[in-house]
Amino acid sequence: RRSSDLTHAVLKSGPHKQFEVIVPPKELLMKDIRDQIPDKYFKRDMVKGFMYVARDILQSAVTIAFMYYGVLPMLEKTDEMGTVVSYLSRFVAWNAFWFLQGLNWTGLWVMAHECGHQSFSDYRLVNDTVGWFLHSFLMVPYHSWRISHGTHHKNCNHLTKDTVFIPTAKSAILTETIQESPIGTLWGILLMLTVGWPAYLVSNIAGQDYGRRASHFEPSSPIFRPADASDVVVSDIGVGVTLAAVIASIYSFGFVNVYCWYLAPYLWVNAWLVYITYLQHSDIRLPHYTADEWTFVRGGLATMDRNYGDTFGWFLHHINDSHVVHHLFSQMPFYNAIEVTRKHCREIFGDMYQVTDRSMFGSVWESWRECRYVIPKEGVMIYRK
């Protein structure tokens, strides 16, 4: 049976009920969706995976070489033009470098994410080895996050089982609208993009409430099973080695050098990661579910594909605009997920497929201000303000 032929519910959200919230039917099964996707898209190609990793590493190396051998000598010449010109030239050049290198490294982060889902190749040892090295370089505890992220995929938008971007629950509609000044909104977004990712890893900020401390670095954390302890330790070792290298480099070359060549691009990676994942799961059009209303398909379809243009999609390996397919079939390689998205999603899902090409800043501004809380007793929950 065709997914788009099944009847789905439509709720209204927003202050003026101007947004449609599509609720897929409970009877829609994964088999109904899988049967409509050609088998070729589920095949993993290890050589292609390594080619994408090599591409990202090459881009990073070229970016460094261009900055060091091309841009820096030019910046030295600006010293003769006065302090203001010299300062502005350096400010523009370094920020352009940090932005571009952040994109390059976010691509590497996405490839490690592919490894964690076992979509990089058919071999788990290869996947976990590549993923561990790439994520460790970016100070991400590979296995620890792989485990919690896998739980997120299994329980997407389930109010009490999902592991990230859990909405605030209220017992009833608030009598007064929650207001936040534009300055407060901007400050909240800035904090999310700068410290949100490490805060989530270290102390489970914006994660599920386990009733006690939870951290991706502690084997005893409620995020994990006892059997996961060794994987958590291995992940900690990877982050520890990189952190030790950073500290040693600061001692040898100075903080400014390490900040310019590693820490600033690293912060851009964190910002991209939080920005992308927040907007994939936080939108006024996306429902959340209590246990009696949730199904795996409903959770997978309660995500948003966002088109940032071909250039960003290329750097980010289309993690931004093929997320619906990725949530339903996480072991499908990203280069196939984008093909399924472009060629089959509309036909398979119809109005149940959520996608937008709104501006990047406008999207995060709207979601931050509109997605304030949900009411669990509603079962199928919409964001309220």
Side-chain angles (χ1 to χ4, degrees), residues 110-178:
V110 175
M111 294 309 300
H113 164 262
E114 288 277 298
C115 292
H117 282 293
Q118 308 303 313
S119 59
F120 183 82
S121 77
D122 292 328
Y123 308 101
R124 188 175 190 90
L125 179 61
V126 171
N127 298 335
D128 288 343
T129 301
V130 173
W132 183 86
F133 274 103
L134 294 179
H135 263 172
S136 295
F137 169 71
L138 298 169
M139 290 196 282
V140 178
Y142 169 73
H143 287 293
S144 306
W145 185 77
R146 170 185 64 79
I147 293 166
S148 70
H149 187 62
T151 303
H152 158 67
H153 267 258
K154 293 173 185 175
N155 301 281
C156 183
N157 282 35
H158 189 300
L159 187 61
T160 57
K161 291 185 178 181
D162 202 352
T163 59
V164 68
F165 297 122
I166 311 301
T168 300
K170 302 290 184 181
S171 59
I173 299 176
L174 300 182
T175 56
E176 295 185 2
T177 303
I178 299 176

Side-chain angles (χ1 to χ4, degrees), residues 191-212:
L191 284 178
M192 177 180 70
L193 296 180
T194 52
V195 301
W197 175 237
Y200 171 67
L201 291 178
V202 173
S203 57
N204 199 40
I205 296 296
Q208 188 62 248
D209 183 7
Y210 296 99
R212 62 185 180 93

Side-chain angles (χ1 to χ4, degrees), residues 202-269:
V202 173
S203 57
N204 199 40
I205 296 296
Q208 188 62 248
D209 183 7
Y210 296 99
R212 62 185 180 93
R213 187 176 69 182
S215 171
H216 282 75
F217 295 97
E218 299 177 13
S220 61
S221 171
I223 297 172
F224 310 115
R225 304 167 302 162
D228 298 325
S230 60
D231 282 338
V232 177
V233 171
V234 169
S235 303
D236 290 350
I237 291 172
V239 174
V241 168
T242 300
L243 187 59
V246 169
I247 294 172
S249 297
I250 291 174
Y251 181 79
S252 299
F253 306 109
F255 176 81
V256 173
N257 273 322
V258 176
Y259 178 83
C260 288
W261 296 103
Y262 178 80
L263 292 176
Y266 162 78
L267 292 175
W268 264 110
V269 174

Side-chain angles (χ1 to χ4, degrees), residues 319-355:
I319 192 175
N320 54 294
D321 54 350
S322 62
H323 196 66
V324 173
V325 171
H326 169 66
H327 248 279
L328 293 170
F329 303 102
S330 60
Q331 290 191 335
M332 180 185 292
F334 78 90
Y335 44 81
N336 289 338
I338 189 60
E339 291 297 312
V340 172
T341 298
R342 291 170 173 171
K343 297 177 180 179
H344 300 283
C345 265
R346 281 296 184 194
E347 180 182 355
I348 294 173
F349 301 119
D351 291 341
M352 291 182 288
Y353 173 57
Q354 298 284 358
V355 61

Side-chain angles (χ1 to χ4, degrees), residues 52-67:
Y52 279 109
V53 170
R55 186 202 80 176
D56 291 339
I57 293 175
L58 179 61
Q59 287 173 186
S60 177
V62 169
T63 302
I64 292 172
F66 182 74
M67 184 67 184

